[in-house]
Amino acid sequence: MAGRLSIAIVLLAVLLGYVYNVFLQRFIQVSGIFREPGSTELAPGEFVVVNGTIGCEDLHLHEPSGLLFTACEDDVASRRKWFPPIEHFANPSTERMKGKLEVIDPKTFEAKVLELEGFSGPFVTHGIDVIDDPDRPQGEAVYIFAVNHKPNPEHYGENGDAKAPKSHSVVELFHHAIGSSTARHVRTIWHPLIVTPNDIFAESPTSFFVTNDYYYTEGLLRTIETVFSMAGWTNVVHVRLENPGSAEDGDGDSAGVHASIALEKLHNLNGLGHGGGGQGEILVTSCSSGLLHVGEVVGEADTGKKVIRVKEVIEFASPVDNPSYFRDPYANGTFDASGIVSSGPTRGIDFLESKGKEFVLDPNMVWKATPKSGKKEKEGDGERDGTVAGGGKNWDVSLLFEDDGRRLRTSSASVLVAIDPNEEGGRRRAWLFLTGYQASNVIAVKVDL
Ligand SMILES: *[C@@H]1O[C@H](CO)[C@@H](O)[C@H](O)[C@H]1NC(C)=O
Ligand SMILES: *[C@@H]1O[C@H](CO)[C@@H](O)[C@H](O)[C@H]1NC(C)=O
């Protein structure tokens, strides 16, 4: 039984590969079909489990406060029962959908669950973004945007329509004063262009980008879409709110919500991150293609619409999920460890077989892309379709950490927190915080930079 699905996928890939050889080479590399899981050795005390952080898909460092923010689940079984992003629709019962927002102190490795004010769920968490409240001194308060995959009452309700989408996926906006134990629900945001939301990049409390990670939500076409990197069927949507509004307004999820396509015709657009090249630099991954697009936000002055212009593409050797930018606070003239961190499965090929299992090892690889010193080459538009090998001529990609699945099940986000070299006898080291949508906990491991 086991293996039948991946054999089918391989046959499919080989067939497509005859048509397009570059695709086949990349498929072999990124899917990990011939790759044995590895496991980075760690000294005692260099591996910490952050308790009370179940199935957190995304993780963000809020630099002004030095705190990590994440959105988690209530139970390790949740993602198997209901999680539309991986085609799990078995149990749409909303009572148990009790996702959480949590704050992790990277110094104590303790996680605090934020009490949600004015919000009672259901809450099925996925990507988040955290930005400073522009009306308060920096670091005092934040807005948290969080994807929420609620079951669609039009599908599951009394006179449910089987043709209606199973998930009514929305974005929740919260406000949190740093140090407090609560997050106040500001409003729910929905627009017909938000279909399969995965991750968020917020510019301000009233402007954000959200990826739709798939065109097909289920079935064979969805599998083809996952495997076939030429299936450039996904997009990033730019959303503008007339005002952040208030949950009490009671005028619906789509009140004052305007949306337009910001980036499209790319494969499996998934994770979003803020880049290192200033305010408007945006990182967008094509997850199962193992590509990261470095883009810039370009505004149209007359309409207020914003689009993403891809500047270059970085190739990774595995699928890559949510990217994060590490800004090295201890950089000096000769050593700067700043770069982009992103992680994904060692054997993406096993994804479909493993995701529904209670006990399985899902090995992971964490990559770091650092700008090549000196030369900076301009790259052509040919890389936009993600098929040209050699994308990312300006970046060195190296393996930062790997796990065979025993310490972490799945890895969807990874964030570096630098350690003061004085505490490490002058060595440049960092805590790497890792999390996965099917992980039982966030973990932290000490790595060399
Ligand atoms: C998490 O819980 C385990 C088991 O109770 C404990 O050994 C460990 O110290 C805890 N981690 C932290 C960061 O407190
Ligand atoms: C910069 O940092 C590196 C790594 O800690 C160190 O080896 C080097 O001496 C530092 N350079 C300067 C100019 O301080």
Side-chain angles (χ1 to χ4, degrees):
M1 268 303 278
R4 209 172 274 177
L5 202 47
S6 52
I7 288 167
I9 292 169
V10 171
L11 287 177
L12 183 68
V14 168
L15 275 175
L16 298 171
Y18 281 125
V19 183
Y20 207 36
N21 192 38
V22 175
F23 161 75
L24 183 63
Q25 286 170 15
R26 268 298 281 173
F27 174 82
I28 288 170
Q29 183 185 38
V30 175
S31 71
I33 182 165
F34 300 125
R35 187 151 50 207
E36 288 294 324
S39 186
T40 307
E41 271 189 47
L42 295 167
E46 299 192 341
F47 167 52
V48 181
V49 174
V50 180
N51 296 311
T53 49
I54 298 170
C56 317
E57 198 270 346
D58 201 4
L59 189 62
H60 282 258
L61 176 64
H62 175 242
E63 286 178 54
S65 64
L67 297 170
L68 293 160
F69 285 79
T70 183
C72 311
E73 287 301 304
D74 201 34
D75 189 284
V76 278
S78 297
R79 300 285 193 214
R80 291 198 305 277
K81 291 178 177 162
W82 173 268
F83 193 47
I86 56 170
E87 283 181 89
H88 287 180
F89 300 100
N91 184 348
S93 140
T94 52
E95 299 87 70
R96 36 149 227 94
M97 296 180 182
K98 295 192 165 61
K100 302 166 180 206
L101 295 180
E102 305 196 23
V103 183
I104 298 169
D105 183 336
K107 295 219 154 52
T108 61
F109 303 99
E110 272 166 19
K112 186 165 79 178
V113 176
L114 298 181
E115 188 192 319
L116 302 179
E117 262 175 37
F119 183 77
S120 52
F123 196 17
V124 177
T125 59
H126 198 174
I128 61 165
D129 200 8
V130 181
I131 54 159
D132 266 295
D133 176 347
D135 297 329
R136 300 272 290 271
Q138 203 190 30
E140 264 193 15
V142 290
Y143 281 98
I144 305 169
F145 289 82
V147 168
N148 182 7
H149 295 288
K150 300 191 283 190
N152 188 3
E154 285 176 30
H155 183 100
Y156 293 104
E158 290 261 310
N159 301 308
D161 173 4
K163 287 204 189 75
K166 290 180 179 170
S167 175
H168 177 62
S169 299
V170 299
V171 175
E172 309 288 357
L173 177 58
F174 296 92
H175 186 268
H176 164 70
I178 297 292
S180 75
S181 58
T182 60
R184 173 177 55 85
H185 189 235
V186 178
R187 66 168 292 172
T188 300
I189 301 157
W190 187 75
H191 185 278
L193 286 178
I194 303 177
V195 187
T196 53
N198 182 308
D199 201 7
I200 296 167
F201 172 104
E203 288 192 311
S204 77
T206 55
S207 170
F208 66 93
F209 295 85
V210 55
T211 45
N212 282 309
D213 61 4
Y214 275 92
Y215 182 78
Y216 292 102
T217 52
E218 284 186 82
L220 178 66
L221 286 170
R222 158 108 174 187
T223 301
I224 290 173
E225 186 180 2
T226 307
V227 176
F228 188 31
S229 66
M230 281 164 281
W233 303 334
T234 62
N235 61 25
V236 179
V237 172
H238 176 237
V239 181
R240 280 172 297 131
L241 306 177
E242 270 166 31
N243 56 63
S246 139
E248 284 87 61
D249 291 351
D251 46 4
D253 300 353
S254 50
V257 180
H258 304 276
S260 53
I261 306 286
L263 180 66
E264 63 180 341
K265 299 194 173 78
L266 288 170
H267 182 229
N268 193 205
L269 294 173
N270 180 309
L272 291 171
H274 295 261
Q279 272 277 304
E281 192 169 277
I282 181 167
L283 311 175
V284 192
T285 61
S286 277
C287 180
S288 60
S289 289
L291 298 178
L292 186 146
H293 311 276
V294 182
E296 66 185 341
V297 172
V298 183
E300 292 175 8
D302 46 338
T303 59
K305 284 184 186 167
K306 294 197 173 177
V307 295
I308 297 167
R309 200 171 63 80
V310 174
K311 296 185 288 186
E312 56 184 323
V313 182
I314 308 175
E315 283 187 358
F316 292 82
S318 78
V320 279
D321 207 314
N322 300 329
S324 70
Y325 183 78
F326 170 62
R327 205 179 319 277
D328 185 355
Y330 301 105
N332 64 21
T334 55
F335 187 89
D336 184 349
S338 300
I340 298 166
V341 180
S342 203
S343 50
T346 306
R347 291 179 51 81
I349 189 79
D350 296 337
F351 165 75
L352 289 170
E353 275 178 61
S354 301
K355 67 189 177 73
K357 291 185 180 158
E358 186 173 2
F359 301 107
V360 69
L361 293 179
D362 277 323
N364 310 292
M365 302 175 105
V366 185
W367 307 95
K368 182 151 167 271
T370 30
K372 274 188 184 145
S373 45
K375 64 172 188 284
K376 189 107 176 98
E377 291 174 38
K378 190 92 190 108
E379 290 176 23
D381 264 344
E383 263 132 0
R384 287 273 326 246
D385 62 8
T387 55
V388 177
K393 286 185 285 290
N394 302 319
W395 300 81
D396 285 317
V397 177
S398 59
L399 187 67
L400 190 59
F401 178 79
E402 60 182 333
D403 184 57
D404 58 8
R406 282 170 222 276
R407 292 173 289 210
L408 184 73
R409 177 174 180 185
T410 68
S411 172
S412 46
S414 33
V415 172
L416 282 172
V417 180
I419 303 172
D420 186 338
N422 290 324
E423 291 171 23
E424 294 287 333
R427 274 172 86 185
R428 292 306 321 279
R429 309 196 80 194
W431 283 104
L432 173 65
F433 285 81
L434 298 170
T435 187
Y437 55 94
Q438 285 186 299
S440 48
N441 286 100
V442 172
I443 64 167
V445 298
K446 213 185 250 191
V447 295
D448 287 309
L449 291 174

